[in-house]
Amino acid sequence: MGQRRTQLPDSRTTPRFAGLVTFGRYPRLADVAPACAPVDWAVYGVPYDSGVTYRPGARFGPRAVREASQYLKAYSIEHDVDVLEVLSLADAGDAPVSPYHPKQTLDGVADFACEIGDPTHTKLLALGGDHSIAYANLRATHARHGGGSPLALLHFDSHLDTVDAVWGERYGHASPFIRAVEEGVVDPKRMLSIGIKGPLNTKRDLDYARDHGVTIVTAEQWRAGGASILDEFKARVGDAPTYLTIDIDVADPAYAPGTGTPSVGGFTSAELLGAIRLARGLNLVGADVVEVLPAMDVAEITALLAAHAAFEVLALDAVRRSTQH
Ligand code: MN
Ligand code: MN
């Protein structure tokens, strides 16, 4: 067994239910000795839900996901990789938010995220919060990669999130990717949305994807063999910097009841984790897991699924690194 790059309290002597709560029990970024190599991934929270169109409450998501993450373990049996042996990880705390001011908040989150860890090395995993925060983490991730070519985007969601504006607001949780494409942060022709399902407000909601080249795989198509579309996406994207965004409402409300815009007919927990694992090989440069609404959750199952989805993101990067060397 190799030397662990991130030292955690030994759960055989310090119980997982004791101590201050950070994601995965990872050290706080401020406590990671500066003499150490920069952390590979920093997890941070965005306790913000002023972008929602239906049920509020995802502002409490980061705390719930951190709490549910205390029982995460390090070795992925599916990928045969120990995440803590490959990656140096830390929790960077929460971004500043201003609940009455959407654009100001997202600008502030992006500024905060730009400064986390080593901007040229540390990758960012944001915990929402509603999905509008993906726009901020995408912007920061793109800027930290030099602000050049737009990023490829792998998107798990029941919803398209390419609506121009809702109630006159252009920075809500239905709009993060239309804004990111407009600003040259995401390449719509290398954007794949998996798990989309109806009913939609109108058939015209599909126009954006058709007109801009976004690929959509509905939940039904995924079950009928949509995984091959993910393989095509991986072949097309190759080694290009790719961002992974996971809206927990892609899972069925039976598996993720704690969310703001539940959509029936979604993935089981196992299907979601399995689908994320199929992204193995992509050059992930940033990610988020969003839309956990603890007040509507039951027995923490949504927060647990979100914590495990976040772990799978880290495992994807760990297995890619460990097989490259
Ligand atoms: Mn979404
Ligand atoms: Mn959604």
Side-chain angles (χ1 to χ4, degrees):
M1 193 164 159
Q3 176 66 41
R4 298 214 150 177
R5 298 199 56 208
T6 300
Q7 300 300 323
L8 264 53
D10 183 349
S11 61
R12 305 283 159 97
T13 54
T14 306
R16 293 176 179 275
F17 44 84
L20 295 175
V21 173
T22 59
F23 182 83
R25 305 168 85 231
Y26 304 159
R28 295 186 334 137
L29 184 61
D31 292 340
V32 176
C36 296
V39 299
D40 298 314
W41 283 83
V43 181
Y44 74 100
V46 188
Y48 171 81
D49 60 11
S50 302
V52 301
T53 53
Y54 199 49
R55 296 170 178 161
R59 66 182 60 183
F60 296 100
R63 282 191 176 175
V65 176
R66 284 193 178 97
E67 183 69 36
S69 73
Q70 300 306 291
Y71 196 60
L72 280 179
K73 296 170 183 178
Y75 174 69
S76 164
I77 194 169
E78 294 81 7
H79 290 307
D80 184 24
V81 68
D82 188 312
V83 168
L84 296 179
E85 285 177 11
V86 178
L87 298 175
S88 166
L89 301 164
D91 188 324
D94 284 348
V97 296
S98 178
Y100 292 157
H101 302 101
K103 183 60 162 63
Q104 181 182 317
T105 290
L106 298 175
D107 288 347
V109 172
D111 289 346
F112 170 86
C114 278
E115 299 297 318
I116 293 174
D118 178 344
T120 63
H121 180 89
T122 307
K123 298 179 183 182
L124 305 173
L125 172 50
L127 303 175
D130 73 56
H131 216 158
S132 65
I133 68 106
Y135 160 76
N137 198 48
L138 270 162
R139 259 178 51 192
T141 300
H142 182 246
R144 290 159 70 107
H145 266 262
S149 301
L151 303 170
L153 180 68
L154 179 57
H155 171 212
F156 288 96
D157 204 328
S158 282
H159 308 96
L160 297 158
D161 291 359
T162 52
V163 178
D164 184 44
V166 177
W167 306 319
E169 178 54 60
R170 301 174 71 245
Y171 293 92
H173 78 160
S175 315
F177 308 121
I178 193 169
R179 295 289 92 79
V181 169
E182 282 172 357
E183 296 183 22
V185 169
V186 165
D187 176 2
K189 293 184 173 55
R190 291 183 301 164
M191 173 173 170
L192 173 61
S193 296
I194 295 174
I196 304 300
K197 63 186 69 69
L200 304 176
N201 283 301
T202 157
K203 185 178 181 181
R204 290 189 300 279
D205 288 354
L206 296 167
D207 290 354
Y208 183 87
R210 187 198 60 218
D211 295 345
H212 293 80
V214 176
T215 306
I216 292 172
V217 184
T218 66
E220 197 155 283
Q221 288 167 337
W222 181 265
R223 291 201 178 86
S228 64
I229 299 176
L230 179 52
D231 284 337
E232 288 166 27
F233 174 79
K234 286 163 66 174
R236 190 151 39 97
V237 166
D239 227 27
T242 302
Y243 186 97
L244 175 53
T245 183
I246 302 167
D247 181 333
I248 206 67
D249 73 25
V250 73
D252 192 88
Y255 296 86
T259 197
T261 37
S263 185
V264 172
F267 291 170
T268 66
S269 303
E271 283 172 334
L272 175 57
L273 299 181
I276 296 168
R277 287 178 194 131
L278 291 178
R280 177 170 173 160
L282 286 170
N283 176 21
L284 295 182
V285 296
D288 60 68
V289 182
V290 298
E291 298 283 358
V292 173
L293 197 172
M296 296 298 293
D297 206 359
V298 176
E300 290 188 323
I301 62 174
T302 313
L304 263 174
L305 180 56
H308 279 264
F311 172 81
E312 292 299 334
V313 173
L314 301 173
L316 283 174
D317 193 51
V319 73
R320 179 182 149 96
R321 290 179 198 231
S322 63
T323 51
Q324 274 182 336
H325 299 289

